Amino acid sequence: MKILIFVLIAFSSLTAYSQLDRKSIYNALASESKETVQKQLDELQKLKESSEVKAFKGALTMKAAQFEKTAKDKLALFNSGKKVLETEIKSNDENVEYRFLRLLIQENAPKQLKYDGNITEDAASIMIGYGKLKESTKTALETYAKKSASLKELF
């Protein structure tokens, strides 16, 4: 009996360990706290590498770039995150959540980065695929849509 309990506890710990905490990730993407963003990046490092984990790492890395001291460091970090997120979107073109991550970053990136070429297509994809999203992603999307120029018609 003790072995069965141990196995159940170990399995539930592993399951919890491998789960993405979307609410915390979206809160970090909305925050202006370097520590909050870094904490979520650190949490993602603990998870098994997957397309989903990579997409979130890419978006959070792009967000983290704003906290760098020099323009050169900001650009380098932003571009490294951009490469990761764009790779995941190309590999998973129909993934609405990845499109939401990109839209969120594009609408908030400094204009001089010229990272705004997919806003219209991503907004359309999100509007079409909204119903397929996880509840935690829908909640984040609904909150973000209130201040988004391209998603205001969604709600």
Side-chain angles (χ1 to χ4, degrees), residues 60-88:
L60 283 167
T61 300
M62 290 165 39
K63 173 72 177 176
Q66 79 182 61
F67 304 113
E68 292 297 311
K69 299 227 184 283
T70 67
K72 180 181 177 183
D73 291 342
K74 287 180 184 197
L75 184 60
L77 191 58
F78 185 87
N79 284 337
S80 71
K82 176 180 156 185
K83 182 179 178 183
V84 172
L85 181 58
E86 290 295 332
T87 298
E88 293 312 311

Side-chain angles (χ1 to χ4, degrees), residues 9-151:
I9 291 171
F11 180 76
S12 66
S13 296
L14 286 174
T15 303
Y17 179 72
S18 66
Q19 297 292 321
L20 279 170
D21 182 359
R22 282 177 164 74
K23 182 178 179 185
S24 294
I25 292 169
Y26 284 117
N27 285 339
L29 287 167
S31 82
E32 293 303 319
S33 165
K34 178 180 181 177
E35 293 76 22
T36 301
V37 173
Q38 189 58 53
K39 180 181 178 194
Q40 289 311 305
L41 279 167
D42 293 345
E43 291 298 317
L44 288 173
Q45 287 297 102
K46 297 175 188 175
L47 300 179
K48 181 180 176 186
E49 196 77 4
S50 68
S51 175
E52 197 172 50
V53 168
K54 289 179 193 175
F56 281 110
K57 279 184 188 177
L60 283 167
T61 300
M62 290 165 39
K63 173 72 177 176
Q66 79 182 61
F67 304 113
E68 292 297 311
K69 299 227 184 283
T70 67
K72 180 181 177 183
D73 291 342
K74 287 180 184 197
L75 184 60
L77 191 58
F78 185 87
N79 284 337
S80 71
K82 176 180 156 185
K83 182 179 178 183
V84 172
L85 181 58
E86 290 295 332
T87 298
E88 293 312 311
I89 290 171
K90 284 181 183 149
S91 298
N92 302 280
D93 192 48
E94 299 298 316
N95 189 307
V96 177
E97 186 166 33
Y98 297 178
R99 300 295 194 110
F100 173 48
L101 290 170
R102 180 168 66 186
L103 176 80
L104 194 151
I105 297 295
Q106 287 188 353
E107 286 191 336
N108 293 287
K111 297 297 178 210
Q112 60 266 36
L113 290 175
K114 298 180 183 169
Y115 187 60
D116 58 3
N118 305 97
I119 291 175
T120 303
E121 90 180 58
D122 288 346
S125 176
I126 291 164
M127 288 181 194
I128 292 167
Y130 173 79
K132 300 176 196 171
L133 294 171
K134 295 177 185 329
E135 286 304 315
S136 54
T137 303
K138 284 181 181 179
T139 301
L141 180 58
E142 290 164 9
T143 301
Y144 180 71
K146 293 173 185 170
K147 60 182 177 182
S148 168
S150 58
L151 294 176

